[in-house]
Amino acid sequence: MKPILLLMNGTLRLDDHPALVSACSSGAGVIPMFILDDAGAGDWKLGGARRWWLKDSLIRLATSLEARGSRLILRAGDTADIVESLLGEVSAVYMTRAYSPMGRRAQEQIHQLCSAHDTDCRRFTGNLLLEPEDVRTKTGGIYEVFSPFWRRAVELIDGSPPLGAPDQVPAPDNWPESQDITELKLDPRPAHWVKPIAATWVPGEDAAQDRLAKFLTEAARDYKAMRDVPGVEATSRLSPYLAHGEISPRRIWAEAQLHMMTEAQDRKGADWFLRELGWREFSKHLLFHNPTLPVRPLKAQFEDFPWREGVDDMVVAWQKGRTGFPIVDAGMRQLWQTGWMHNRVRMIVASFLVKDMLWHWRTGEDWFWDTLVDADLANNAASWQWVAGCGADAAPYFRIFNPITQGEKFDPDGDYIRTYVPELADMPNDYIHKPFEAPEGVLKMAGVSLGATYPEPVLDRKACRERALAALQSIKKQA
Ligand SMILES: Cc1cc2nc3c(=O)[nH]c(=O)nc-3n(C[C@H](O)[C@H](O)[C@H](O)COP(=O)(O)OP(=O)(O)OC[C@H]3O[C@@H](n4cnc5c(N)ncnc54)[C@H](O)[C@@H]3O)c2cc1C
């Protein structure tokens, strides 16, 4: 019996992997393979932070497969060409369903090639709680507002138990050639950038499971109250593991349900956490039904919004965390140093870029794509559009986050700022969010010299707010 080719793209795990379990129980040998297709990804070739993560993750996955008598075959190149070259040697191709436009295109091509070669081709579910076709409004439409979407989704989630990892993965009689991991060119430039990121994270499915267990036992109870406080590790930080398919949403759902049954007092927190997982489902559904989500506004009138575009000194100041607004700078530096940023601060820095600076949300989306270890086409695009006011269920454009009051509310003692903007470490709480308002004596005592040790504000917020509202009026008039 010829072996089954199992494409592991998007599902870098052995736990709760329906395609893997099905292949293992077929009686045939299994060839687990990962294909890096940079050209096929078009504008959405993996960014630097995710390339670092992916390399580490593939090494760990290969080790787990070896412990089960198998291997991980690596290839770089055109997905369809690579699969076609193997079709004479395999009985079937198994894969986990993709939702991005490029993933869907590649899977459709594989499907057609398999049909032409009379080879079985199966797409399995595994990376969502519900498939995009499953959640429909009463009239069969697509949800554009999160709350009703999630209410309906919760009714539909069947809570079927996740599948365990197979003990053994049957080997084929002959292994196809594998490329060396160095040939995948996953090392991002500049190399020194990844050092602190590597010191922050442990990729791979074992680390994902540990993180979930730690979150449920230590932080779930206070999640609802603390999830907006960036100076405290109160959220799960599972996003990069989900982005790489190192843990399944069904595993998270099942473990959280179990936790809520045994620790009833944690129910509210764990429930709210699952609701956030719902936002991930919602974003994927939006992308599936609107494949241009990463590049075009969902609200058509925003096509004519007078965004500023390109990269100039102002954008570089934002990217480097040198805007003179401490919570914005702390967030952008957390991103650069760790490959991750707290959700509340993501909203603040995004609002600053698209509303205060009036820059196109795509500029921010691109920067996040390159620097986030959890960069995810659906979550990133839907979230940027949400902040910019042009997406589904979006924050209204005229609601402009004030970085000073947001900082004072969510980081009252400035713990987060002191961590990522150490030059402000000695500023008193009263001025840590607005050093530009501090009297000369206070600055001196804190060792801060504006324009020298820490930047002056790059913009006048009052004038920028008026400019943003005028820009909004301009598209309203056209509508
Ligand atoms: C401008 C902007 C860009 C973003 N880009 C991304 C991105 O590229 N990738 C990404 O995974 N998330 C993105 N988010 C959403 C959110 O910030 C992260 O998912 C969250 O901070 C991850 O931390 P966590 O795992 O501790 O989340 P938790 O609070 O523990 O939530 C659990 C899981 O739910 C999902 N989730 C939580 N919040 C959201 C949300 N608002 N939208 C969609 N899914 C959510 C994530 O998968 C997360 O891991 C973005 C948000 C903003 C405002």
Side-chain angles (χ1 to χ4, degrees):
M1 194 172 176
K2 285 181 180 174
I4 292 171
L5 177 63
L6 172 72
L7 296 179
M8 305 216 40
N9 288 57
T11 315
L12 302 179
R13 63 173 185 269
L14 305 185
D15 179 61
D16 196 31
H17 188 152
L20 170 69
V21 169
S22 186
C24 288
S25 58
S26 68
V30 181
I31 302 173
M33 177 177 281
F34 176 84
I35 301 174
L36 184 73
D37 185 354
D38 279 335
D43 288 344
W44 302 107
K45 177 181 148 181
L46 284 188
R50 276 203 57 184
R51 291 178 94 78
W52 165 77
W53 187 291
L54 177 63
K55 183 176 178 183
D56 197 308
S57 184
L58 290 174
I59 293 169
R60 289 171 196 272
L61 180 62
T63 307
S64 303
L65 283 165
E66 278 157 26
R68 287 166 172 81
S70 182
R71 290 174 61 188
L72 179 63
I73 302 297
L74 299 174
R75 290 287 177 88
D78 183 82
T79 306
D81 287 351
I82 293 168
V83 171
E84 189 171 23
S85 71
L86 294 165
L87 285 183
E89 298 157 40
V90 301
S91 60
V93 180
Y94 285 12
M95 52 203 168
T96 304
R97 193 175 177 199
Y99 305 97
S100 68
M102 58 277 192
R104 287 167 70 187
R105 201 178 317 118
Q107 294 196 337
E108 197 42 49
Q109 277 178 326
I110 293 171
H111 192 73
Q112 284 168 12
L113 285 170
C114 287
S115 299
H117 286 76
D118 212 13
T119 303
D120 188 17
C121 179
R122 296 195 197 175
R123 267 176 280 196
F124 291 78
T125 59
N127 286 329
L128 281 180
L129 292 166
L130 292 165
E131 296 307 298
E133 298 83 358
D134 296 343
V135 195
R136 295 280 183 173
T137 62
K138 284 201 180 94
T139 54
I142 294 150
Y143 282 101
E144 286 173 2
V145 178
F146 173 73
S147 294
F149 166 86
W150 189 235
R151 267 198 302 276
R152 181 71 188 125
V154 169
E155 285 167 6
L156 293 171
I157 294 168
D158 64 5
S160 54
L163 306 167
D167 293 333
Q168 284 294 307
V169 178
D173 292 338
N174 298 304
W175 284 102
E177 223 175 283
S178 177
Q179 287 182 271
D180 188 78
I181 194 143
T182 53
E183 293 175 67
L184 269 56
K185 299 194 172 47
L186 289 169
D187 292 311
R189 299 283 178 271
H192 65 80
W193 167 42
V194 299
K195 266 198 181 163
I197 299 179
T200 308
W201 297 97
V202 179
E205 72 172 312
D206 290 345
Q209 303 271 357
D210 290 349
R211 198 167 271 270
L212 174 61
K214 185 172 177 330
F215 169 75
L216 289 174
T217 49
E218 293 176 12
R221 179 178 305 183
D222 298 325
Y223 179 79
K224 190 161 185 258
M226 298 301 289
R227 58 183 285 270
D228 275 321
V229 181
V232 175
E233 196 169 323
T235 66
S236 70
R237 302 198 182 199
L238 279 168
S239 50
Y241 300 95
L242 280 159
H244 291 85
E246 293 171 341
I247 191 163
S248 77
R250 194 162 59 161
R251 170 65 65 194
I252 297 176
W253 181 269
E255 297 294 329
Q257 297 294 340
L258 197 67
H259 181 78
M260 287 192 277
M261 277 190 308
T262 49
E263 306 290 335
Q265 71 276 26
D266 293 7
R267 171 162 274 283
K268 236 191 202 150
D271 219 32
W272 205 260
F273 163 69
L274 291 178
R275 188 182 154 87
E276 291 307 309
L277 209 56
W279 275 99
R280 174 180 180 273
E281 298 276 316
F282 185 53
S283 302
K284 293 261 194 263
H285 288 224
L286 285 177
L287 177 63
F288 182 84
H289 293 297
N290 306 278
T292 59
L293 182 78
V295 289
R296 309 265 314 257
L298 279 180
K299 286 190 185 145
Q301 73 264 37
F302 274 83
E303 295 274 12
D304 298 321
F305 194 88
W307 303 112
R308 300 162 81 191
E309 293 190 49
V311 173
D312 72 352
D313 288 352
M314 185 82 113
V315 175
V316 173
W318 178 80
Q319 291 171 337
K320 298 233 152 111
R322 301 198 54 78
T323 65
F325 290 89
I327 193 88
V328 175
D329 293 343
M332 297 309 290
R333 294 188 202 183
Q334 181 183 32
L335 174 60
W336 185 253
Q337 287 167 30
T338 70
W340 186 88
M341 193 197 303
H342 188 277
N343 181 59
R344 168 62 47 180
V345 191
R346 290 188 205 204
M347 293 195 279
I348 298 169
V349 303
S351 175
F352 191 81
L353 183 79
V354 300
K355 296 182 180 171
D356 290 285
M357 288 170 60
L358 210 65
W359 231 270
H360 204 297
W361 54 272
R362 286 212 51 196
T363 304
E365 184 193 26
D366 285 348
W367 182 251
F368 273 27
W369 182 256
D370 196 31
T371 53
L372 277 172
V373 284
D374 66 21
D376 173 273
L377 198 62
N379 286 358
N380 200 28
S383 300
W384 273 97
Q385 289 217 32
W386 184 89
V387 176
C390 57
D393 202 4
Y397 182 85
F398 58 79
R399 193 169 298 154
I400 301 177
F401 278 82
N402 178 332
I404 299 154
T405 51
Q406 286 280 313
E408 287 169 346
K409 183 168 178 195
F410 296 110
D411 188 30
D413 298 328
D415 297 338
Y416 181 69
I417 288 176
R418 285 176 226 283
T419 304
Y420 292 104
V421 190
E423 63 268 37
L424 296 179
D426 294 328
M427 281 296 282
N429 288 357
D430 285 353
Y431 292 105
I432 189 135
H433 295 286
K434 45 185 180 197
F436 39 86
E437 286 184 13
E440 210 36 59
V442 171
L443 289 171
K444 211 167 172 194
M445 285 279 285
V448 175
S449 167
L450 291 179
T453 62
Y454 182 70
E456 302 263 16
V458 287
L459 48 78
D460 169 0
R461 286 209 67 248
K462 195 162 172 282
C464 288
R465 186 183 157 76
E466 279 159 22
R467 182 181 62 181
L469 296 177
L472 180 66
Q473 281 308 319
S474 75
I475 58 164
K476 274 194 174 161
K477 273 190 201 131
Q478 286 167 29

